[in-house]
Amino acid sequence: MPVTFTRTRLSWLLYATNGAAAFFIYAVGPATPLIAKDLGISLQLAALHGTASAASLLLFGVVGAPVIRRLGRPRSIRAALLTMTVGALLLILAPMLAVSLLGVFLAGLGTALASTTANATLADAYRDAAPTVLTESNAAAGWVGLLAPLFMGLFLAAGLGWRVGLAVSIPLFLALAVIVPRAAARAAVPAGEVHDRPPAVAATVEVRVAEAEPVVTAAAGPAPAAQESAGPGRHRPRVAAVFWVVMAAVFAAAGAEFGVNYWGATLLAENSGAATGAVTAAMSAPIAGVAVGRTLGARVALHVPAHRMLVAGWLLALVGFVGFWLPSSFVLATIGLFVIGLGLSVIYPLLLDRAVLLAPGHSDWALSVSYPFVGIAIGTAPFVLGTLAAAVGVSSAFLLVPLLMAMGLGAVVLSRPGPPGT
């Protein structure tokens, strides 16, 4: 029997919070060469903005859950959006590289805190419908991510510059900082009906249903049950080893995605011989695949068990990689990039749902701990791929990507929450 759920004003606002975070993340990338030009620095130094962003994710993995536990979710969302505002202002007004890097670092902390708090609130409130809701929420972020470079291009074409393009996000951050915490403090998202969780997690689902009141309370602050289970002086719960297997899959997903995003244009140009402009435009294909995949995946997740979707997502991404990697026409390679994005699209939100299930009562911690794995993947996978490309050529180096995909698929199979067929 399919899971049903109802969206509320709060759920739409939480989707918007994820979208606001995505706008900043995807807008900074195209602006990086322009930042380098304005600050009079090399592209190598400008690449430190990516390092600063990855460092913010590593730090958030340590401080994220304690901050949310101390502030409560409404105030955490407000703090996140205000931190994003300060970070954006520092980046826009930066007179030197150090200030610019600090801006990206603070904005990275803010976006991680905003997304974690929003996703944890949705996961706890919707329970059995969490795979659908998290996929849908990340789909909204994906569409905003796709639109962000286009908006930046429009502002640049109009002669207004990258600063104005980034500055348009600030009123959105401030408006959400006022509206979302109030909505979270007043209302709770209704829970989905419990129908088709696999037997291996049935007890977890029953506990989460029985704790409906603490889950509702969590929208206005930390859940009492979560605080008690953490124990005095303990910063994280005891989780089974399989939780860390899921984190390995998170690392693999981020590494594969960012490896393609950073070096895909180089391989596409080498294999197809297309012009630089066409190659650059084609790199929107995997982002479009993510946006489309999450939009469709949210519907599919109502009828198909999450494990099957995870396996299918990895296999689809592998098929897309083959189409992209093999020397072929520009069009076929671009389609391959789109299919990679389509396959990877559902993996991250569904892995988040699995992490929450493996740490019942600790969704804030489960989601925040995923960020260091994403940060390490962002900081290492493109670097290793680039190093290999210098040694053996970009085509051979790109075989790192299917290795990461195979690692992720293996981790998903090993962490399957129920019997075969679930």
Side-chain angles (χ1 to χ4, degrees):
M1 185 175 179
V3 177
T4 61
F5 71 101
T6 303
R7 302 178 195 88
T8 67
R9 178 171 178 266
L10 177 58
S11 57
W12 286 116
L13 287 171
L14 293 172
Y15 288 5
T17 301
N18 270 334
F23 181 90
F24 185 86
I25 292 170
Y26 284 97
V28 169
T32 300
L34 303 172
I35 295 171
K37 182 179 179 180
D38 284 1
L39 295 179
I41 60 176
S42 66
L43 291 177
Q44 286 79 8
L45 285 176
L48 290 175
H49 289 92
T51 304
S53 180
S56 70
L57 299 185
L58 294 176
L59 177 61
F60 181 78
V62 177
V63 305
V67 166
I68 298 171
R69 186 169 58 244
R70 183 175 183 83
L71 296 179
R73 288 178 180 168
R75 284 190 292 173
S76 293
I77 290 178
R78 178 175 289 119
L81 290 161
L82 292 178
T83 303
M84 289 160 62
T85 301
V86 172
L89 284 172
L90 286 175
L91 178 60
I92 291 166
L93 302 175
M96 61 182 69
L97 177 61
V99 178
S100 182
L101 292 177
L102 178 60
V104 170
F105 180 82
L106 288 176
L109 279 178
T111 55
L113 180 57
S115 294
T116 295
T117 310
N119 287 333
T121 303
L122 289 169
D124 281 349
Y126 279 103
R127 303 173 187 147
D128 215 42
T132 292
V133 175
L134 290 176
T135 302
E136 192 171 79
S137 178
N138 281 275
W143 283 112
V144 174
L146 180 61
L147 292 174
L150 299 179
F151 274 104
M152 289 293 291
L154 289 175
F155 282 108
L156 291 171
L160 297 175
W162 66 269
R163 287 182 172 85
V164 175
L166 282 179
V168 298
S169 63
I170 292 177
L172 175 61
F173 296 163
L174 293 175
L176 289 172
V178 173
I179 298 170
V180 179
R182 291 179 179 175
R186 286 198 307 263
V189 184
E193 298 176 17
V194 179
H195 292 308
D196 62 351
R197 285 294 191 188
V201 298
T204 300
V205 173
E206 290 171 5
V207 168
R208 292 166 77 180
V209 172
E211 294 177 348
E213 288 306 314
V215 168
V216 172
T217 306
Q227 290 178 321
E228 291 171 8
S229 59
R234 212 167 84 211
H235 295 293
R236 68 177 180 86
R238 291 190 179 95
V239 292
V242 71
F243 177 89
W244 303 108
V245 176
V246 173
M247 290 300 105
V250 169
F251 170 86
E257 179 179 353
F258 282 89
V260 170
N261 287 345
Y262 271 72
W263 294 100
T266 304
L267 180 61
L268 183 58
E270 181 179 290
N271 282 349
S272 68
T276 302
V279 167
T280 302
M283 290 312 298
S284 65
I287 302 175
V290 168
V292 171
R294 286 177 178 168
T295 301
L296 297 177
R299 303 295 95 208
V300 175
L302 291 172
H303 307 279
V304 178
H307 181 74
R308 292 183 185 176
M309 290 184 64
L310 279 166
V311 172
W314 282 117
L315 293 177
L316 187 60
L318 281 166
V319 170
F321 174 83
V322 172
F324 164 65
W325 181 73
L326 293 176
S328 61
S329 71
F330 174 78
V331 173
L332 290 178
T334 303
I335 293 173
L337 284 170
F338 177 84
V339 174
I340 290 174
L342 202 64
L344 293 177
S345 63
V346 298
I347 290 172
Y348 183 66
L350 292 180
L351 287 175
L352 295 185
D353 175 64
R354 183 166 292 187
V356 168
L357 287 174
L358 290 169
H362 297 275
S363 53
D364 296 314
W365 177 85
L367 295 180
S368 64
V369 82
S370 70
Y371 279 91
F373 290 87
V374 174
I376 293 170
I378 294 172
T380 58
F383 175 79
V384 172
L385 203 159
T387 302
L388 289 173
V392 298
V394 67
S395 182
S396 297
F398 244 92
L399 292 175
L400 175 66
V401 173
L403 285 177
L404 287 169
M405 292 178 178
M407 169 185 166
L409 176 59
V412 163
V413 172
L414 289 174
S415 64
R416 182 172 55 193
T422 61

